Amino acid sequence: MAKLYTEENSMAPYSELQVTDTDMPGLMSKPRTFLMNCTQFGLNFMVLLLSVVVVPAQVEALVGSSAKGSCLGGLVAGGAAVTFVASPVIGMVSDRLRNRWGRRRPVILVGLAFLCVGLIGMAFSAPTLIIDMKAEDSSNSTSLAVNASDHCIRDLVAKRCLPFANDSVTSHAFSAGGGAQPGGTILPRKHKRYKEETIIQDDIPGNIGLYIVFFLVVISSQAAISVPFNALVADKSHPSQRGFNSGVMGAMILLGNVAGAAAGLTFTHIGVLSIYGMIIAVLVISIFITVVFTSEHLGREEGEKKQLGCKMIFASFWSPLKEHDFRWVFITRFLMQQGVATITGFLEYWLDDMIQLPRCWTAATSVALMLLPLLFSAALSSIVFGVISDRTGRRKVIVIGAAFLMGAGSMTNAFISGNSAYYIAVTIAFLI
Protein backbone atom coordinates (compact mmCIF):
# COMPACT_ATOMS: atom_id res chain seq x y z
CA MET A 1 0.00 0.00 0.00
CA ALA A 2 1.36 3.41 -0.95
CA LYS A 3 2.52 5.55 1.93
CA LEU A 4 0.97 9.01 2.06
CA TYR A 5 2.98 12.06 3.03
CA THR A 6 1.65 13.77 6.14
CA GLU A 7 3.08 16.25 8.62
CA GLU A 8 3.09 13.52 11.27
CA ASN A 9 5.51 11.32 9.39
CA SER A 10 7.54 14.20 7.97
CA MET A 11 10.53 13.18 10.09
CA ALA A 12 10.97 10.05 8.02
CA PRO A 13 13.48 10.12 5.15
CA TYR A 14 11.76 11.42 2.04
CA SER A 15 13.21 8.57 -0.01
CA GLU A 16 10.93 6.21 1.94
CA LEU A 17 7.80 8.22 1.19
CA GLN A 18 5.61 7.78 -1.84
CA VAL A 19 3.08 10.31 -3.00
CA THR A 20 -0.09 9.07 -4.61
CA ASP A 21 -1.20 12.48 -5.93
CA THR A 22 -0.15 12.65 -9.57
CA ASP A 23 -0.45 16.43 -9.51
CA MET A 24 2.22 16.78 -6.83
CA PRO A 25 4.71 19.49 -7.93
CA GLY A 26 8.10 18.32 -9.04
CA LEU A 27 11.36 19.13 -7.33
CA MET A 28 12.74 22.61 -8.00
CA SER A 29 16.41 23.40 -8.28
CA LYS A 30 17.85 25.68 -5.61
CA PRO A 31 18.58 28.54 -8.06
CA ARG A 32 14.98 28.48 -9.32
CA THR A 33 13.71 28.52 -5.76
CA PHE A 34 15.66 31.72 -5.13
CA LEU A 35 14.39 33.23 -8.39
CA MET A 36 10.78 32.35 -7.53
CA ASN A 37 11.06 34.12 -4.17
CA CYS A 38 12.47 37.37 -5.60
CA THR A 39 8.97 38.85 -5.38
CA GLN A 40 9.25 38.70 -1.59
CA PHE A 41 12.37 40.85 -1.79
CA GLY A 42 10.64 43.54 -3.83
CA LEU A 43 7.45 43.61 -1.75
CA ASN A 44 9.26 43.84 1.57
CA PHE A 45 11.62 46.49 0.21
CA MET A 46 8.56 48.57 -0.65
CA VAL A 47 6.55 47.87 2.49
CA LEU A 48 9.31 48.75 4.95
CA LEU A 49 10.45 51.84 3.08
CA LEU A 50 6.93 53.21 2.65
CA SER A 51 5.39 52.32 6.00
CA VAL A 52 8.26 53.35 8.28
CA VAL A 53 10.05 56.13 6.41
CA VAL A 54 8.27 57.63 3.40
CA VAL A 55 4.53 57.68 4.16
CA PRO A 56 4.88 59.25 7.65
CA ALA A 57 7.04 62.03 6.18
CA GLN A 58 4.60 62.66 3.33
CA VAL A 59 1.59 62.74 5.64
CA GLU A 60 3.29 65.30 7.90
CA ALA A 61 4.13 67.45 4.89
CA LEU A 62 0.50 67.31 3.72
CA VAL A 63 -1.42 67.91 6.94
CA GLY A 64 1.11 69.42 9.37
CA SER A 65 2.37 68.30 12.75
CA SER A 66 -0.89 68.81 14.63
CA ALA A 67 -2.86 66.34 12.47
CA LYS A 68 -0.16 63.93 11.34
CA GLY A 69 -0.88 61.23 13.93
CA SER A 70 -4.63 61.02 13.41
CA CYS A 71 -4.27 61.21 9.62
CA LEU A 72 -1.66 58.46 9.47
CA GLY A 73 -3.72 56.30 11.83
CA GLY A 74 -6.83 56.70 9.68
CA LEU A 75 -4.83 56.00 6.54
CA VAL A 76 -3.37 52.77 7.91
CA ALA A 77 -6.75 51.66 9.28
CA GLY A 78 -8.38 52.23 5.90
CA GLY A 79 -5.63 50.27 4.19
CA ALA A 80 -6.07 47.38 6.63
CA ALA A 81 -9.82 47.29 5.93
CA VAL A 82 -9.20 47.20 2.18
CA THR A 83 -6.67 44.38 2.58
CA PHE A 84 -9.03 42.41 4.83
CA VAL A 85 -11.79 42.49 2.21
CA ALA A 86 -9.69 42.28 -0.95
CA SER A 87 -7.32 39.43 -0.09
CA PRO A 88 -9.85 36.55 0.09
CA VAL A 89 -11.64 37.81 -3.03
CA ILE A 90 -8.37 37.97 -4.97
CA GLY A 91 -7.51 34.46 -3.79
CA MET A 92 -10.86 33.07 -4.96
CA VAL A 93 -10.51 34.79 -8.35
CA SER A 94 -7.01 33.36 -8.76
CA ASP A 95 -8.22 29.85 -7.88
CA ARG A 96 -10.85 30.03 -10.63
CA LEU A 97 -8.66 31.52 -13.34
CA ARG A 98 -7.83 29.35 -16.34
CA ASN A 99 -5.17 30.84 -18.57
CA ARG A 100 -2.29 29.47 -20.61
CA TRP A 101 0.04 31.50 -18.38
CA GLY A 102 -1.40 29.81 -15.28
CA ARG A 103 -3.64 30.91 -12.43
CA ARG A 104 -1.22 33.00 -10.39
CA ARG A 105 1.15 34.87 -12.69
CA PRO A 106 -1.51 36.82 -14.67
CA VAL A 107 -3.00 38.13 -11.42
CA ILE A 108 0.47 39.09 -10.19
CA LEU A 109 1.18 41.06 -13.38
CA VAL A 110 -2.17 42.89 -13.23
CA GLY A 111 -1.46 43.72 -9.59
CA LEU A 112 1.99 45.03 -10.54
CA ALA A 113 0.51 47.35 -13.19
CA PHE A 114 -1.97 48.87 -10.74
CA LEU A 115 0.72 49.04 -8.06
CA CYS A 116 2.98 51.13 -10.29
CA VAL A 117 0.10 53.48 -11.07
CA GLY A 118 -0.67 53.85 -7.37
CA LEU A 119 2.96 54.52 -6.46
CA ILE A 120 3.30 57.17 -9.15
CA GLY A 121 0.11 58.78 -7.87
CA MET A 122 1.38 58.79 -4.28
CA ALA A 123 4.62 60.41 -5.41
CA PHE A 124 3.02 63.25 -7.38
CA SER A 125 0.16 63.90 -4.94
CA ALA A 126 2.69 64.62 -2.16
CA PRO A 127 5.97 65.49 -3.93
CA THR A 128 7.49 67.78 -1.29
CA LEU A 129 9.33 66.64 1.81
CA ILE A 130 9.58 69.10 4.72
CA ILE A 131 12.69 68.72 6.89
CA ASP A 132 14.04 70.54 9.92
CA MET A 133 16.97 72.92 9.64
CA LYS A 134 20.48 71.55 9.88
CA ALA A 135 22.80 72.52 12.70
CA GLU A 136 24.63 75.07 10.60
CA ASP A 137 21.39 77.02 10.24
CA SER A 138 20.51 76.81 13.92
CA SER A 139 21.75 80.34 14.63
CA ASN A 140 18.38 81.63 13.44
CA SER A 141 16.44 79.41 15.82
CA THR A 142 15.68 79.92 19.48
CA SER A 143 14.99 76.29 20.29
CA LEU A 144 17.76 74.46 18.43
CA ALA A 145 21.33 74.37 19.71
CA VAL A 146 24.40 72.24 19.08
CA ASN A 147 26.66 71.05 21.87
CA ALA A 148 30.38 70.30 21.68
CA SER A 149 29.78 66.75 20.49
CA ASP A 150 27.69 67.85 17.47
CA HIS A 151 24.52 66.75 19.21
CA CYS A 152 21.47 68.82 18.28
CA ILE A 153 19.66 70.00 21.39
CA ARG A 154 16.07 70.77 20.44
CA ASP A 155 13.33 72.18 22.61
CA LEU A 156 11.06 69.20 22.16
CA VAL A 157 8.27 70.64 24.30
CA ALA A 158 8.15 73.75 22.13
CA LYS A 159 8.27 71.57 19.03
CA ARG A 160 5.29 69.49 20.12
CA CYS A 161 3.28 72.52 21.23
CA LEU A 162 4.09 74.78 18.29
CA PRO A 163 1.50 73.35 15.84
CA PHE A 164 -1.24 74.20 18.36
CA ALA A 165 0.07 77.67 19.24
CA ASN A 166 -1.51 80.97 18.28
CA ASP A 167 -0.02 83.94 16.50
CA SER A 168 1.67 85.27 19.64
CA VAL A 169 4.12 82.39 19.84
CA THR A 170 5.01 81.88 16.22
CA SER A 171 8.13 83.98 16.74
CA HIS A 172 9.49 81.13 18.88
CA ALA A 173 9.32 78.59 16.07
CA PHE A 174 12.14 76.12 16.19
CA SER A 175 12.78 76.20 12.44
CA ALA A 176 13.59 78.96 9.99
CA GLY A 177 12.95 79.34 6.29
CA GLY A 178 15.33 78.39 3.55
CA GLY A 179 15.63 77.56 -0.11
CA ALA A 180 14.53 74.36 -1.74
CA GLN A 181 16.90 71.61 -2.67
CA PRO A 182 17.46 70.92 -6.39
CA GLY A 183 14.32 69.60 -8.04
CA GLY A 184 12.01 71.19 -5.49
CA THR A 185 11.45 67.90 -3.67
CA ILE A 186 13.00 68.80 -0.30
CA LEU A 187 12.25 71.98 1.60
CA PRO A 188 13.51 73.09 5.02
CA ARG A 189 10.68 73.51 7.50
CA LYS A 190 9.38 77.07 7.32
CA HIS A 191 7.48 79.34 9.69
CA LYS A 192 3.78 78.70 9.39
CA ARG A 193 0.87 81.03 10.03
CA TYR A 194 -1.62 79.81 12.57
CA LYS A 195 -5.27 80.76 12.89
CA GLU A 196 -7.64 79.07 15.34
CA GLU A 197 -5.34 76.05 15.62
CA THR A 198 -5.42 75.48 11.86
CA ILE A 199 -2.07 75.33 10.11
CA ILE A 200 -1.94 77.28 6.87
CA GLN A 201 0.91 75.91 4.79
CA ASP A 202 1.16 78.12 1.76
CA ASP A 203 4.32 76.58 0.32
CA ILE A 204 3.43 72.88 0.58
CA PRO A 205 2.10 71.41 -2.67
CA GLY A 206 0.10 68.22 -2.71
CA ASN A 207 -3.43 66.92 -2.31
CA ILE A 208 -4.38 64.78 0.67
CA GLY A 209 -7.54 63.48 -1.04
CA LEU A 210 -5.64 62.16 -4.05
CA TYR A 211 -2.95 60.80 -1.78
CA ILE A 212 -5.49 58.72 0.15
CA VAL A 213 -7.01 57.36 -3.06
CA PHE A 214 -3.64 56.32 -4.49
CA PHE A 215 -2.57 54.88 -1.11
CA LEU A 216 -5.61 52.57 -1.15
CA VAL A 217 -4.79 51.60 -4.74
CA VAL A 218 -1.29 50.63 -3.60
CA ILE A 219 -2.64 48.61 -0.67
CA SER A 220 -5.14 46.66 -2.78
CA SER A 221 -2.55 46.13 -5.54
CA GLN A 222 -0.08 44.81 -3.00
CA ALA A 223 -2.71 42.23 -1.97
CA ALA A 224 -3.24 41.38 -5.66
CA ILE A 225 0.45 40.45 -5.83
CA SER A 226 1.11 38.85 -2.45
CA VAL A 227 -1.98 36.59 -2.37
CA PRO A 228 -1.38 34.80 -5.71
CA PHE A 229 2.36 34.79 -5.05
CA ASN A 230 1.90 32.91 -1.77
CA ALA A 231 -0.39 30.50 -3.61
CA LEU A 232 2.25 30.08 -6.34
CA VAL A 233 4.87 29.15 -3.75
CA ALA A 234 2.47 26.61 -2.26
CA ASP A 235 1.69 25.21 -5.74
CA LYS A 236 5.37 24.77 -6.53
CA SER A 237 6.58 23.41 -3.17
CA HIS A 238 7.28 19.69 -3.07
CA PRO A 239 6.80 18.24 0.44
CA SER A 240 10.50 17.46 0.66
CA GLN A 241 11.39 21.10 -0.09
CA ARG A 242 8.93 22.95 2.14
CA GLY A 243 11.54 23.68 4.79
CA PHE A 244 14.05 24.95 2.24
CA ASN A 245 11.43 27.05 0.44
CA SER A 246 10.35 28.55 3.75
CA GLY A 247 13.94 29.39 4.60
CA VAL A 248 14.54 31.05 1.22
CA MET A 249 11.34 33.06 1.60
CA GLY A 250 12.43 34.20 5.05
CA ALA A 251 15.83 35.19 3.69
CA MET A 252 14.24 37.25 0.91
CA ILE A 253 11.94 38.97 3.40
CA LEU A 254 14.93 39.87 5.56
CA LEU A 255 17.02 41.06 2.59
CA GLY A 256 14.13 43.19 1.37
CA ASN A 257 13.70 44.77 4.79
CA VAL A 258 17.43 45.47 5.17
CA ALA A 259 17.63 46.94 1.66
CA GLY A 260 14.57 49.10 2.39
CA ALA A 261 16.12 50.38 5.61
CA ALA A 262 19.38 51.16 3.80
CA ALA A 263 17.51 52.99 1.03
CA GLY A 264 15.72 55.01 3.69
CA LEU A 265 19.03 56.62 4.61
CA THR A 266 19.00 58.40 1.24
CA PHE A 267 15.41 59.65 1.46
CA THR A 268 16.07 63.20 2.63
CA HIS A 269 18.93 63.53 0.12
CA ILE A 270 17.26 62.32 -3.09
CA GLY A 271 13.68 63.41 -2.42
CA VAL A 272 10.21 61.94 -2.85
CA LEU A 273 10.09 61.37 -6.61
CA SER A 274 13.47 59.62 -6.69
CA ILE A 275 12.66 57.29 -3.80
CA TYR A 276 9.41 56.23 -5.50
CA GLY A 277 11.30 55.68 -8.74
CA MET A 278 13.69 53.42 -6.85
CA ILE A 279 10.79 51.45 -5.33
CA ILE A 280 9.10 50.94 -8.71
CA ALA A 281 12.34 49.79 -10.34
CA VAL A 282 13.03 47.22 -7.59
CA LEU A 283 9.44 45.93 -7.73
CA VAL A 284 9.35 45.56 -11.52
CA ILE A 285 12.69 43.76 -11.68
CA SER A 286 12.02 41.38 -8.78
CA ILE A 287 8.48 40.46 -9.87
CA PHE A 288 9.45 39.94 -13.49
CA ILE A 289 12.22 37.59 -12.36
CA THR A 290 9.60 35.49 -10.54
CA VAL A 291 7.14 35.51 -13.44
CA VAL A 292 9.71 34.72 -16.15
CA PHE A 293 11.64 31.98 -14.37
CA THR A 294 8.70 30.22 -12.67
CA SER A 295 6.40 28.02 -14.72
CA GLU A 296 2.94 26.88 -13.66
CA HIS A 297 1.44 23.42 -13.98
CA LEU A 298 -2.32 23.62 -14.04
CA GLY A 299 -2.86 19.96 -13.19
CA ARG A 300 -6.18 18.23 -13.62
CA GLU A 301 -9.46 20.10 -13.41
CA GLU A 302 -10.88 20.14 -9.91
CA GLY A 303 -14.47 20.27 -11.09
CA GLU A 304 -16.75 23.23 -11.58
CA LYS A 305 -16.20 25.80 -8.86
CA LYS A 306 -19.11 27.81 -7.50
CA GLN A 307 -19.55 31.26 -8.91
CA LEU A 308 -18.52 34.11 -6.67
CA GLY A 309 -21.32 35.87 -4.84
CA CYS A 310 -21.81 38.05 -1.79
CA LYS A 311 -23.04 35.11 0.29
CA MET A 312 -20.05 32.96 -0.64
CA ILE A 313 -17.59 35.79 0.01
CA PHE A 314 -19.11 36.47 3.44
CA ALA A 315 -18.99 32.76 4.28
CA SER A 316 -15.29 32.67 3.35
CA PHE A 317 -14.62 35.19 6.15
CA TRP A 318 -16.78 33.56 8.78
CA SER A 319 -16.35 29.81 8.21
CA PRO A 320 -12.63 29.54 9.16
CA LEU A 321 -13.33 31.29 12.49
CA LYS A 322 -15.55 28.40 13.54
CA GLU A 323 -12.47 26.23 13.89
CA HIS A 324 -11.10 26.52 17.45
CA ASP A 325 -7.35 26.59 16.79
CA PHE A 326 -7.60 28.88 13.77
CA ARG A 327 -9.78 31.29 15.72
CA TRP A 328 -7.17 31.63 18.47
CA VAL A 329 -4.35 31.97 15.95
CA PHE A 330 -6.31 34.68 14.11
CA ILE A 331 -7.14 36.67 17.26
CA THR A 332 -3.67 36.49 18.79
CA ARG A 333 -1.90 37.23 15.50
CA PHE A 334 -4.23 40.20 14.99
CA LEU A 335 -3.28 41.60 18.40
CA MET A 336 0.42 40.96 17.84
CA GLN A 337 0.43 42.62 14.43
CA GLN A 338 -1.63 45.51 15.78
CA GLY A 339 1.04 46.16 18.40
CA VAL A 340 3.88 45.92 15.91
CA ALA A 341 2.14 48.18 13.39
CA THR A 342 1.35 50.78 16.05
CA ILE A 343 5.00 51.06 17.04
CA THR A 344 6.66 50.87 13.62
CA GLY A 345 4.10 53.10 11.90
CA PHE A 346 4.57 55.95 14.36
CA LEU A 347 8.27 55.39 15.07
CA GLU A 348 9.39 58.29 12.88
CA TYR A 349 7.01 60.69 14.62
CA TRP A 350 8.16 59.48 18.04
CA LEU A 351 11.80 60.12 17.18
CA ASP A 352 11.01 63.53 15.73
CA ASP A 353 8.86 64.73 18.63
CA MET A 354 10.28 62.97 21.69
CA ILE A 355 13.96 62.09 21.16
CA GLN A 356 17.10 64.22 20.86
CA LEU A 357 18.66 63.02 17.60
CA PRO A 358 22.47 62.86 17.22
CA ARG A 359 24.39 64.98 14.71
CA CYS A 360 21.21 66.81 13.66
CA TRP A 361 19.91 63.78 11.76
CA THR A 362 16.41 63.97 10.38
CA ALA A 363 13.78 61.64 11.81
CA ALA A 364 13.66 59.74 8.48
CA THR A 365 17.39 59.04 8.61
CA SER A 366 17.26 58.15 12.30
CA VAL A 367 14.44 55.63 11.92
CA ALA A 368 16.21 53.95 8.99
CA LEU A 369 19.40 53.59 11.05
CA MET A 370 17.43 52.20 13.99
CA LEU A 371 15.94 49.46 11.82
CA LEU A 372 19.29 47.99 10.80
CA PRO A 373 20.24 46.51 14.23
CA LEU A 374 16.62 45.46 14.71
CA LEU A 375 16.63 43.46 11.47
CA PHE A 376 20.06 41.96 12.17
CA SER A 377 18.85 40.82 15.57
CA ALA A 378 15.69 39.37 14.04
CA ALA A 379 17.73 37.33 11.57
CA LEU A 380 20.11 36.04 14.23
CA SER A 381 17.43 35.17 16.77
CA SER A 382 15.20 33.43 14.20
CA ILE A 383 18.04 31.01 13.46
CA VAL A 384 19.14 30.47 17.06
CA PHE A 385 15.69 30.05 18.57
CA GLY A 386 14.48 28.05 15.59
CA VAL A 387 17.18 25.47 16.35
CA ILE A 388 16.39 25.60 20.08
CA SER A 389 12.68 25.06 19.49
CA ASP A 390 13.36 22.12 17.17
CA ARG A 391 15.65 20.46 19.69
CA THR A 392 13.51 21.09 22.78
CA GLY A 393 10.08 20.93 21.17
CA ARG A 394 8.98 23.87 23.36
CA ARG A 395 7.47 26.55 21.15
CA LYS A 396 5.04 28.36 23.46
CA VAL A 397 7.66 29.20 26.09
CA ILE A 398 9.82 30.92 23.46
CA VAL A 399 6.87 32.82 21.96
CA ILE A 400 5.60 34.00 25.36
CA GLY A 401 9.09 35.02 26.48
CA ALA A 402 9.67 36.95 23.25
CA ALA A 403 6.31 38.72 23.58
CA PHE A 404 7.18 39.74 27.16
CA LEU A 405 10.57 41.16 26.08
CA MET A 406 8.96 43.09 23.21
CA GLY A 407 6.37 44.57 25.56
CA ALA A 408 8.96 45.43 28.21
CA GLY A 409 11.23 47.07 25.64
CA SER A 410 8.37 49.12 24.21
CA MET A 411 7.34 50.25 27.69
CA THR A 412 10.92 51.28 28.45
CA ASN A 413 11.01 53.46 25.34
CA ALA A 414 8.11 55.48 26.72
CA PHE A 415 10.26 56.78 29.59
CA ILE A 416 13.70 57.38 28.05
CA SER A 417 14.96 60.95 27.60
CA GLY A 418 18.16 62.97 27.44
CA ASN A 419 21.02 63.22 24.95
CA SER A 420 21.61 59.45 24.99
CA ALA A 421 17.97 58.54 24.43
CA TYR A 422 18.47 57.65 20.76
CA TYR A 423 21.30 55.23 21.51
CA ILE A 424 19.23 53.63 24.27
CA ALA A 425 16.36 53.26 21.80
CA VAL A 426 18.65 51.57 19.26
CA THR A 427 19.81 49.11 21.95
CA ILE A 428 16.21 48.36 22.88
CA ALA A 429 15.36 47.90 19.20
CA PHE A 430 18.04 45.21 19.02
CA LEU A 431 16.36 43.46 21.96
CA ILE A 432 12.85 43.85 20.52
Side-chain angles (χ1 to χ4, degrees):
M1 181 176 179
K3 205 173 184 181
L4 292 175
Y5 174 85
T6 64
E7 295 296 333
E8 286 76 13
N9 61 18
S10 62
M11 296 301 293
Y14 289 107
S15 59
E16 297 178 3
L17 302 177
Q18 298 177 12
V19 180
T20 58
D21 187 354
T22 56
D23 286 333
M24 181 66 64
L27 294 172
M28 288 186 67
S29 65
K30 288 181 174 59
R32 282 193 175 272
T33 301
F34 278 96
L35 294 174
M36 178 178 66
N37 281 281
C38 281
T39 293
Q40 281 288 13
F41 174 87
L43 286 177
N44 283 276
F45 177 88
M46 177 194 73
V47 169
L48 185 135
L49 193 51
L50 287 184
S51 62
V52 182
V53 180
V54 178
V55 171
Q58 286 185 291
V59 168
E60 183 179 8
L62 285 170
V63 303
S65 295
S66 63
K68 63 184 180 182
S70 57
C71 183
L72 180 63
L75 199 64
V76 173
V82 169
T83 301
F84 184 78
V85 174
S87 294
V89 177
I90 293 169
M92 288 185 279
V93 170
S94 176
D95 286 340
R96 286 161 175 75
L97 184 63
R98 287 293 179 268
N99 186 283
R100 67 189 185 94
W101 292 98
R103 295 182 295 176
R104 317 300 183 189
R105 292 182 297 169
V107 181
I108 292 174
L109 289 176
V110 171
L112 175 62
F114 279 97
L115 183 58
C116 291
V117 171
L119 290 170
I120 293 172
M122 286 180 66
F124 282 96
S125 58
T128 302
L129 173 65
I130 308 301
I131 62 175
D132 287 335
M133 298 298 296
K134 296 295 185 182
E136 56 267 22
D137 298 322
S138 63
S139 58
N140 297 324
S141 173
T142 60
S143 63
L144 181 64
V146 184
N147 64 13
S149 60
D150 270 348
H151 203 107
C152 280
I153 307 300
R154 302 178 295 163
D155 187 343
L156 295 176
V157 175
K159 183 184 187 307
R160 293 193 296 272
C161 294
L162 183 61
F164 305 95
N166 55 34
D167 291 331
S168 64
V169 297
T170 54
S171 60
H172 298 291
F174 59 90
S175 312
Q181 296 286 340
T185 57
I186 303 178
L187 296 174
R189 190 182 302 276
K190 297 186 177 184
H191 287 296
K192 306 177 181 66
R193 296 187 290 111
Y194 298 83
K195 184 177 181 180
E196 296 177 353
E197 298 186 354
T198 300
I199 302 178
I200 304 173
Q201 297 173 314
D202 297 326
D203 299 325
I204 300 179
N207 187 299
I208 185 62
L210 286 176
Y211 188 80
I212 292 173
V213 170
F214 284 117
F215 177 83
L216 296 179
V217 170
V218 167
I219 291 296
S220 56
S221 301
Q222 178 191 340
I225 296 174
S226 60
V227 170
F229 170 75
N230 290 332
L232 176 64
V233 173
D235 293 342
K236 299 292 293 184
S237 294
H238 188 273
S240 65
Q241 292 183 312
R242 286 174 183 168
F244 177 73
N245 287 351
S246 178
V248 172
M249 181 181 293
M252 288 297 183
I253 291 173
L254 176 64
L255 288 174
N257 286 331
V258 171
L265 298 175
T266 68
F267 180 41
T268 56
H269 301 284
I270 66 176
V272 174
L273 301 183
S274 297
I275 204 73
Y276 273 96
M278 182 190 303
I279 292 172
I280 291 173
V282 171
L283 278 170
V284 169
I285 293 173
S286 60
I287 290 175
F288 263 90
I289 289 175
T290 295
V291 170
V292 171
F293 290 97
T294 305
S295 60
E296 287 191 68
H297 175 60
L298 293 179
R300 62 167 179 260
E301 290 290 337
E302 299 176 359
E304 190 69 23
K305 290 185 178 290
K306 296 181 180 180
Q307 290 186 348
L308 291 179
C310 293
K311 183 178 179 180
M312 181 180 178
I313 292 174
F314 177 78
S316 70
F317 287 97
W318 177 251
S319 297
L321 295 176
K322 296 179 180 179
E323 205 279 320
H324 177 270
D325 289 346
F326 179 84
R327 183 168 62 250
W328 274 108
V329 169
F330 178 85
I331 293 172
T332 53
R333 185 170 178 83
F334 170 83
L335 293 173
M336 189 263 298
Q337 291 295 337
Q338 190 271 338
V340 171
T342 300
I343 292 176
T344 56
F346 293 90
L347 192 58
E348 183 173 326
Y349 293 163
W350 175 70
L351 289 173
D352 194 27
D353 294 340
M354 302 296 295
I355 300 298
Q356 298 289 358
L357 301 178
R359 301 186 180 279
C360 302
W361 290 338
T362 63
T365 299
S366 301
V367 73
L369 283 172
M370 179 180 286
L371 289 173
L372 293 176
L374 186 148
L375 295 170
F376 173 78
S377 174
L380 181 64
S381 62
S382 64
I383 297 173
V384 173
F385 288 101
V387 173
I388 293 175
S389 67
D390 283 340
R391 291 184 177 179
T392 63
R394 300 176 69 87
R395 322 282 191 188
K396 294 182 180 180
V397 173
I398 295 175
V399 172
I400 293 172
F404 175 80
L405 288 176
M406 291 174 69
S410 302
M411 181 65 70
T412 303
N413 276 338
F415 297 97
I416 61 175
S417 61
N419 294 344
S420 301
Y422 179 76
Y423 301 108
I424 297 173
V426 170
T427 304
I428 294 175
F430 185 89
L431 176 67
I432 291 178

